[in-house]
């Protein structure tokens, strides 16, 4: 394993070096939080694909393939569909807003009265996403070094917190590009063909496994529908995803770069399911489906290649973890703390602050909190389900309603956030956290309340709507990005 260890150590050292490089580049709030809004199409595509394809998509996707066969691809496939929908229909408008958070978008659309509640919901979602990604380090480091769970979480989490704190989005962007390349080589070009060959080829796989393993809908229509509600719609509104859209140099980059990334996700989904299906042939009686990825990597891959594929799994976890961490810190600082601080300081002159230093401090604080929660938390699936249910039921309707329906009002948006959030929490207590009903009924409650309250209240002020349309068109005094000091051609 010495060669494999060397590959992993070099990879981790490279992540830290890129954090140091990013620190030298991130000199302003825009540079630190959204990479100066200067990413070209190739870098944008790679980083967007990296953040959405995390440990759940890699380790979990292979596990679903082991359990259900080719239909196990649906979870990651719906993530790709959500990214495609976001890129084709909404990303250009989102990029032209030139904001930093989803709550800032809601403030622009509804007149500055919807942000703090939506910020709290988004903060809870991004925090849990960062926590669940951090927990995944335990699985990978256990395979690599037979390491204690707590030490694994601290080691992996500390590296992500370090490079994210140092360079912000520039560091995360560069590390994500490396992680995208490592995942592509490790999973698609190495593990996929090796797994199929070790299983005896597709003909042997079909001969060894039940026919339902090759049924595209074998996982069940209700499960697929739930994936669409949670993951496809979740892609449309998550701060971690929007913050990457804000990094695009132009709205065209956001649209076409995101489309390429979404298509890549569809391929990755199928690859994970095929690897899992092959693992079922090779290891028919594993104690856990989620062990399929680590087992096939550890037992079937040659020296060196094994280290690269494990680095790919580590890359998948780190990309999602760092993206969720900076999103969580951005929301905590810009949507919650800054508003509370502004309310306290109202009426007096607020002293000038170093915004890069402030955002860097929040990443460090949120990162430490994420590591501590990850150590204490055991049930990853339940935590992530709660986060996605709150996000979709609470924020989907106000966000898409604001983008698509002129008559939506601030009162309707606030009522929808509250109704959806309360409904989904109450229904999870009744039906169980992992049940499908909470997100179904929570979303319907949010939609009904949004429409009824919006129609029953005074329409949004025309001056607010005019300013909103100007920003959507890329105009307005605050719409332009910070001056570009040097071109980025990647």
């Amino acid at each position: 394993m010495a060669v494999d260890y060397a590959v992993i150590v070099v990879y981790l050292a490279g992540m830290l070096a890129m954090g140091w490089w990013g620190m030298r580049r991130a000199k302003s709030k825009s540079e630190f939080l959204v990479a100066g809004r200067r990413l070209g199409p190739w870098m944008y595509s790679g980083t967007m694909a990296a953040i959405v394809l995390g440990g759940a998509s890699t380790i979990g996707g292979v596990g679903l393939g082991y359990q259900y066969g080719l239909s196990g691809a649906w979870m990651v496939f719906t993530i790709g569909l959500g990214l495609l929908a976001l890129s084709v229909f909404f990303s250009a408008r989102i990029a032209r807003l030139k904001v930093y958070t989803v709550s800032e978008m809601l403030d622009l659309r509804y007149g500055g009265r919807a942000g703090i509640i939506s910020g709290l919901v988004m903060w809870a979602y991004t925090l849990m996403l960062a926590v669940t990604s951090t927990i995944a380090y335990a699985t990978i480091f256990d395979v690599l070094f037979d390491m204690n769970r707590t030490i694994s979480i601290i080691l992996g989490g500390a590296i992500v917190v370090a490079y994210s704190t140092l360079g912000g989005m520039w560091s995360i962007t560069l590390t994500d590009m490396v992680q995208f390349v490592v995942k592509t080589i490790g999973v698609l070009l190495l593990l996929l063909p090796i797994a199929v060959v070790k299983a005896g080829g597709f003909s042997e796989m079909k001969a060894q496994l039940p026919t339902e393993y090759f049924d595209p809908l074998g996982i069940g229509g209700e499960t697929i529908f739930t994936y669409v509600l949670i993951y496809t719609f979740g892609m449309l509104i998550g701060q971690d995803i929007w913050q990457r859209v804000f990094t695009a140099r132009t709205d065209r980059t956001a649209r076409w770069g995101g489309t390429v990334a979404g298509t890549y996700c569809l391929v990755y989904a199928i690859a994970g399911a095929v690897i899992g299906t092959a693992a079922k042939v090779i290891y028919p009686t594993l104690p856990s489906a989620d062990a399929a990825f680590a087992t096939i990597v550890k037992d079937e891959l040659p020296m060196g290649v094994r280290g690269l594929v494990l680095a790919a799994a580590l890359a998948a976890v780190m990309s999602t973890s760092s993206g969720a961490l900076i999103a969580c810190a951005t929301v905590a600082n810009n949507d919650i703390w800054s508003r509370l601080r502004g309310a306290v300081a109202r009426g007096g002159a607020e002293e000038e602050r170093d915004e890069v230093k402030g955002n860097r401090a929040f990443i460090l604080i949120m990162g430490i909190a994420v590591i501590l929660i990850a150590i204490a938390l055991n049930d990853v699936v339940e935590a992530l389900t709660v986060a996605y249910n709150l996000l979709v039921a609470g924020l989907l309707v106000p966000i898409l309603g604001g983008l698509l329906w002129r008559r939506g009002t601030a009162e309707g948006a606030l009522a929808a956030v509250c109704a959806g959030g309360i409904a989904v929490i109450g229904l999870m207590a009744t039906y169980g956290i992992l049940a499908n009903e909470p997100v179904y009924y929570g979303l319907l409650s949010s939609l009904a309340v949004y429409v009824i309250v919006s129609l029953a209240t005074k329409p949004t002020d025309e001056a607010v709507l005019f300013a909103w349309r100007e920003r959507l068109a890329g105009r307005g005094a605050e719409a332009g990005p910070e001056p570009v000091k040097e071109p980025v051609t990647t």
Side-chain angles (χ1 to χ4, degrees):
M1 292 287 287
V3 175
D4 299 321
Y5 292 161
V7 171
I8 300 296
V9 169
V10 169
Y11 169 77
L12 294 177
M15 297 298 100
L16 293 174
M18 290 169 199
W20 183 262
W21 177 89
M23 182 179 69
R24 300 177 60 190
R25 190 170 190 126
K27 302 297 184 182
S28 67
K29 178 181 179 180
S30 175
E31 295 281 353
F32 191 81
L33 293 182
V34 290
R37 308 187 196 276
R38 294 196 275 153
L39 297 192
W42 293 111
M43 186 170 282
Y44 178 87
S45 297
T47 57
M48 183 63 87
I51 187 176
V52 300
L53 295 174
S57 299
T58 304
I59 299 171
V62 171
L64 286 172
Y66 183 89
Q67 188 173 0
Y68 298 104
L70 298 185
S71 66
W74 274 107
M75 184 187 76
V76 183
F77 205 83
T78 54
I79 290 173
L81 292 177
L83 186 52
L84 285 172
L86 174 71
S87 302
V88 173
F89 299 112
F90 301 108
S91 63
R93 281 182 282 179
I94 293 169
R96 287 196 293 266
L97 290 173
K98 304 300 181 187
V99 295
Y100 292 100
T101 68
V102 174
S103 294
E104 285 183 40
M105 168 264 171
L106 291 173
D107 277 351
L108 280 172
R109 170 59 181 82
Y110 295 113
R113 290 176 290 169
I116 192 161
I117 294 179
S118 63
L120 288 169
V121 174
M122 190 64 76
W123 175 78
Y125 157 73
T126 53
L127 179 69
M128 283 298 100
L129 184 60
V131 166
T132 54
S133 300
T134 302
I135 290 172
Y137 296 128
T139 301
I140 298 170
F141 283 111
D142 178 56
V143 174
L144 284 172
F145 307 116
D146 193 22
M147 190 177 289
N148 174 270
R149 178 182 185 275
T150 299
I151 296 175
S152 298
I153 290 173
I154 293 173
L155 176 60
I159 292 170
V160 169
V161 171
Y163 73 69
S164 300
T165 301
L166 286 172
M169 188 59 81
W170 269 123
S171 293
I172 292 171
T173 295
L174 190 58
T175 55
D176 276 358
M177 277 304 297
V178 174
Q179 289 159 356
F180 170 74
V181 172
V182 171
K183 280 191 287 191
T184 300
I185 295 173
V187 176
L188 297 185
L189 301 184
L190 294 176
L191 182 58
L192 174 61
I194 290 173
V196 172
V197 170
K198 292 286 185 178
F202 285 103
S203 58
E204 184 64 20
M205 290 162 62
K206 288 184 177 180
Q208 293 287 336
L209 296 173
T211 55
E212 55 264 28
Y213 264 72
F214 302 93
D215 180 358
L217 304 179
I219 200 169
E222 184 178 357
T223 299
I224 295 171
F225 181 67
T226 302
Y227 285 159
V228 170
L229 277 185
I230 294 177
Y231 297 114
T232 301
F233 287 152
M235 288 295 106
L236 299 180
I237 58 176
Q239 169 68 25
D240 51 326
I241 308 303
W242 277 42
Q243 198 157 343
R244 296 311 174 96
V245 176
F246 301 150
T247 65
R249 183 191 304 161
T250 64
D251 54 7
R252 182 179 175 86
T253 296
R255 181 185 294 113
W256 293 109
T259 300
V260 171
T263 304
Y264 179 89
C265 291
L266 303 183
V267 175
Y268 200 87
I270 297 170
V274 172
I275 293 168
T277 305
K280 183 67 175 178
V281 174
I282 304 169
Y283 310 102
T285 58
L286 288 178
S288 167
D290 285 340
F293 179 88
T295 302
I296 195 170
V297 169
K298 190 173 183 178
D299 293 350
E300 301 298 334
L301 299 187
M303 179 180 60
V305 173
R306 179 171 49 213
L308 183 59
V309 173
L310 287 172
L314 196 58
V317 175
M318 282 189 162
S319 56
T320 299
S321 180
S322 59
L325 177 59
I326 194 172
C328 177
T330 302
V331 170
N333 188 17
N334 290 267
D335 293 337
I336 300 174
W337 172 244
S338 292
R339 293 169 193 268
L340 296 175
R341 189 175 186 275
V344 172
R346 191 172 297 155
E350 189 174 354
E351 63 183 20
E352 194 72 22
R353 291 185 298 146
D354 182 344
E355 293 199 63
V356 173
K357 185 182 294 183
N359 282 292
R360 185 173 280 137
F362 264 87
I363 291 180
L364 180 60
I365 293 168
M366 290 296 106
I368 294 171
V370 163
I371 291 172
L372 293 176
I373 296 171
I375 291 171
L377 196 64
N378 288 319
D379 201 321
V380 180
V381 175
E382 288 194 357
L384 195 58
T385 300
V386 170
Y388 268 105
N389 282 355
L390 279 173
L391 176 72
V392 173
L395 292 182
L396 179 68
V397 170
I399 292 171
L400 294 189
L403 289 169
L404 300 174
W405 191 38
R406 188 176 185 275
R407 186 60 180 81
T409 66
E411 293 81 4
L414 287 171
V417 173
C418 294
I422 293 171
V424 81
I425 291 172
L427 290 166
M428 281 190 293
T430 302
Y431 287 97
I433 290 176
L434 299 180
N436 294 327
E437 288 84 358
V439 72
Y440 296 167
Y441 297 129
L443 191 55
L444 288 175
S445 301
S446 180
L447 177 60
V449 168
Y450 180 72
V451 173
I452 292 170
V453 174
S454 292
L455 293 176
T457 53
K458 183 180 178 181
T460 304
D461 187 87
E462 187 56 41
V464 172
L465 290 177
F466 176 77
W468 167 252
R469 289 193 296 268
E470 288 292 290
R471 291 292 286 271
L472 279 179
R475 298 187 294 267
E478 301 162 331
E482 296 185 8
V484 176
K485 296 179 182 177
E486 56 180 296
V488 177
T489 57
T490 301

